[in-house]
Amino acid sequence: MNITVVKDGEALSIALAGRLDGTTVQSVEEAFLKELAAGESRFVFDLERLDYVSSAGLRVMLLAAKKTRGVGGKLALFGLNENVREVFEISGFHKIFALFATRSEAAAFVSAP
């Protein structure tokens, strides 16, 4: 799992590449919580290079959504491939998250008041 964190305007972009499963969720959770503790509250998760997400991966994404809402922030996801999107849809998580096709759409969503 490669995690790339980049400040993108008002949003913080967290790009995930590889597999988000029981062996990698801790690193994603730590990276997210570090940025949240630093005061970030507008997150865009770039999933263009995410190959797979397990139930453990969904749990860490749900944690991120809850923590972000807890500080009055916003979170959006974009770039889900067909397999990852199917997992989100089957689990019902597509109704919890703001999903977008492009980075600019996701960034506009989290940057809006």
Side-chain angles (χ1 to χ4, degrees), residues 31-91:
F32 168 77
L33 291 175
K34 176 183 170 188
E35 298 301 334
L36 187 72
E40 296 293 341
S41 62
R42 297 174 187 265
F43 296 93
V44 172
F45 277 83
D46 174 353
L47 305 183
E48 286 184 316
R49 296 178 42 221
L50 184 67
D51 299 324
Y52 171 81
V53 62
S54 71
S55 59
L58 290 175
R59 183 198 63 78
V60 76
M61 297 305 294
L62 185 58
L63 172 91
K66 286 182 177 181
K67 294 281 188 182
T68 300
R69 287 185 186 132
V71 297
K74 286 184 163 182
L75 184 149
L77 313 177
F78 79 93
L80 288 71
N81 69 29
E82 187 176 319
N83 294 333
V84 172
R85 180 173 292 280
E86 183 178 2
V87 172
F88 272 77
E89 289 176 356
I90 289 171
S91 65

Side-chain angles (χ1 to χ4, degrees), residues 8 11 44 48 76 78-79 100-112:
D8 185 14
V44 172
E48 286 184 316
F78 79 93
F100 297 94
T102 67
R103 176 186 306 275
S104 61
E105 291 171 338
F109 173 77
V110 299
S111 297

Side-chain angles (χ1 to χ4, degrees), residues 9-27:
E10 293 184 33
L12 189 78
S13 174
I14 300 177
L16 305 179
R19 296 175 59 89
L20 182 56
D21 58 21
T23 62
T24 60
V25 291
Q26 186 169 355
S27 59

